[in-house]
Amino acid sequence: MTSIGGAEMVDWNLAVATATRFVRPGPDASRDEARAVVAELRRHAKASEEHVRAFTRMVPEGVTPRDTPVLVVDRAGWIRANVAGFRELLSPLLDKMRERRSDTAGGAVLGAVGGKVTGVELGMLLSFLASRVLGQYETFAPASRTLPDGAPAGPGGNGGGRLLLVAPNIVHVERELDVDPHDFRLWVCLHEETHRTQFTGVPWLRDHLEGEIQSFLAETDVDPMTVLERLREAAQSLAGARPEGEEDEGRSLVELVQTPAQREILGRLTAVMSLLEGHADFVMDGVGPAVVPSVAEIREKFQQRRARGAGRLDLALRKLLGLDAKLRQYRDGERFVRAVVEEVGMDGFNRVWTSPNTLPTKAEIAKPADWVARVHRRAES
């Protein structure tokens, strides 16, 4: 546990226990049906490798990228992986907050609140998210017995990484949308396999992202009580405990840490996440017509679902957690990728993976022609 002045800031084990206790049950399925879903997702994930690599041309012929495992998990498995990832990434921030505790006016109160309350609040947030994520390329959590990762790459490469497919959520959404389940499962795998290809085919990408995140956290200068207050707001929204008539102001957790230096880092992070998400959407739709017969129907229904959320509470939480920004990343990033590919082709677009210097800026995501001018015309002059 990370502690602040002797009091645990986050009880990570309690966060896992709380999230797994309160997460919604998955859809009804017999043991045989569940096994069939798991087996099919594994087959689709394997088939997606070839489809994605052929379409993106990110992996040169004759080159075998580092292998990383594909894990079909339930909601509890997703929770464990993400708690481990959060613990790894947030440790510098929590260490910094521990150092501040003795000088903080609310330090005594924080000690009384303790890590157990914070663990419960974090667990409640994860229980909300765990029923919504279809898949994830998990890059930061350390390996464990139940969650292995890929072998470390060679010199200059990056270690770790695993693809998580959340089977009950995929089944839930395919039933909710009333689409062909076999097509939908392959469609999801195409998106997630694109993320896997991004990280295994671009050796510097993981280290670059981790460096940006750690730089962002290193610039954080925030009162620990403010963090707890914002977490409590989220937990109260989730539990429906907001006082009657009180409107949600739509404040995001990310907005807590917005120094000038952080705004600059966050702009770069937003741009690269828009690129990764938009690229995955572009690839899944590009490959889809050849291998997913009902791709048009799936895309239309899925876009409608993304846009409307699941009601007022869901929309409020999406705003609080910054998930509305993630929805914009899909849209803006996909437009960027499509525009660049139309102008300079897939190989021209793939210059984006050359180095951190060729990643688009936040402004270039909105104006793809500016990225083309910077990366292509400068290289040709």
Side-chain angles (χ1 to χ4, degrees):
M1 303 302 172
T2 298
S3 62
I4 299 183
E8 294 172 351
M9 177 59 186
V10 180
D11 187 331
W12 298 106
N13 292 333
L14 186 57
V16 172
T18 301
T20 53
R21 177 181 177 187
F22 286 99
V23 70
R24 296 175 182 176
D28 292 333
S30 68
R31 186 182 298 270
D32 288 343
E33 288 173 328
R35 286 174 175 167
V37 170
V38 170
E40 183 172 23
L41 286 172
R42 286 174 176 158
R43 289 196 304 272
H44 284 332
K46 184 64 177 176
S48 294
E49 287 186 41
E50 182 178 346
H51 295 314
V52 169
R53 291 176 188 176
F55 183 82
T56 65
R57 300 200 289 273
M58 289 181 64
V59 180
E61 290 187 20
V63 174
T64 302
R66 180 176 51 84
D67 190 30
T68 56
V70 176
L71 307 178
V72 182
V73 299
D74 58 10
R75 291 168 177 175
W78 180 87
I79 288 167
R80 288 192 296 271
N82 278 268
V83 167
F86 289 154
R87 185 174 184 175
E88 187 83 2
L89 278 178
L90 293 178
S91 59
L93 173 62
L94 296 181
D95 288 343
K96 185 174 184 176
M97 292 169 71
R98 177 185 57 198
E99 294 171 1
R100 288 196 54 181
R101 184 196 181 281
S102 59
D103 300 325
T104 300
V109 177
L110 178 60
V113 171
K116 294 194 178 298
V117 173
T118 312
V120 168
E121 291 170 341
L122 178 59
M124 291 295 291
L125 294 178
L126 287 170
S127 73
F128 167 78
L129 296 172
S131 63
R132 285 157 172 77
V133 176
L134 301 182
Q136 172 185 356
Y137 190 76
E138 215 301 309
T139 54
F140 300 115
S144 68
R145 181 179 59 82
T146 57
L147 292 167
D149 65 7
N158 54 300
R162 56 206 164 205
L163 178 59
L164 306 178
L165 297 170
V166 191
N169 295 351
I170 293 171
V171 172
H172 171 78
V173 173
E174 71 192 25
R175 291 178 181 177
E176 177 187 329
L177 298 181
D178 190 26
V179 293
D180 182 279
H182 309 293
D183 284 2
F184 184 75
R185 293 166 196 173
L186 177 55
W187 189 71
V188 170
C189 286
L190 289 170
H191 181 102
E192 302 307 333
E193 176 58 35
T194 303
H195 286 317
R196 184 167 176 250
T197 299
Q198 289 164 350
F199 282 92
T200 57
V202 184
W204 53 264
L205 183 58
R206 178 193 178 279
D207 290 341
H208 172 70
L209 271 180
E210 184 175 19
E212 291 280 57
I213 292 170
Q214 293 302 339
S215 295
F216 183 84
L217 295 176
E219 291 290 333
T220 300
D221 186 23
V222 62
D223 175 21
M225 288 304 295
T226 306
V227 175
L228 290 182
E229 178 185 353
R230 193 61 57 84
L231 283 172
R232 191 165 295 109
E233 287 180 10
Q236 288 174 348
S237 293
L238 186 60
R242 186 175 297 278
E244 186 69 26
E246 182 177 332
E247 292 296 324
D248 174 55
E249 297 179 6
R251 296 182 298 174
S252 168
L253 287 167
V254 173
E255 293 169 0
L256 283 170
V257 279
Q258 290 285 323
T259 66
Q262 284 181 309
R263 281 195 290 272
E264 183 177 341
I265 298 169
L266 187 60
R268 296 196 298 268
L269 280 170
T270 299
V272 72
M273 295 310 296
S274 296
L275 170 68
L276 298 180
E277 296 294 357
H279 183 235
D281 265 13
F282 177 79
V283 171
M284 72 195 297
D285 287 344
V287 174
V291 298
V292 182
S294 59
V295 65
E297 176 191 4
I298 291 173
R299 164 56 74 187
E300 181 180 1
K301 290 183 175 180
F302 194 76
Q303 290 286 63
Q304 291 172 354
R305 181 182 185 272
R306 267 184 184 171
R308 68 174 180 264
R312 186 175 181 277
L313 174 61
D314 188 59
L315 292 172
L317 277 167
R318 285 195 337 200
K319 184 72 175 179
L320 180 65
L321 300 173
L323 298 182
D324 57 333
K326 186 174 179 64
L327 296 180
R328 290 195 297 273
Q329 288 171 7
Y330 285 108
R331 182 184 66 243
D332 298 344
E334 195 274 342
R335 275 203 299 256
F336 170 84
V337 176
R338 185 173 301 280
V340 172
V341 171
E342 286 177 355
E343 184 166 350
V344 297
M346 185 64 75
D347 292 333
F349 165 79
N350 281 339
R351 288 194 189 181
V352 78
W353 312 117
T354 303
S355 75
N357 292 330
T358 55
L359 290 172
T361 65
K362 189 176 179 181
E364 288 170 343
I365 288 287
K367 295 183 177 180
D370 290 353
W371 179 86
V372 172
R374 176 172 68 87
V375 173
H376 282 265
R377 292 170 192 167
R378 180 178 298 176
E380 292 165 1
S381 60

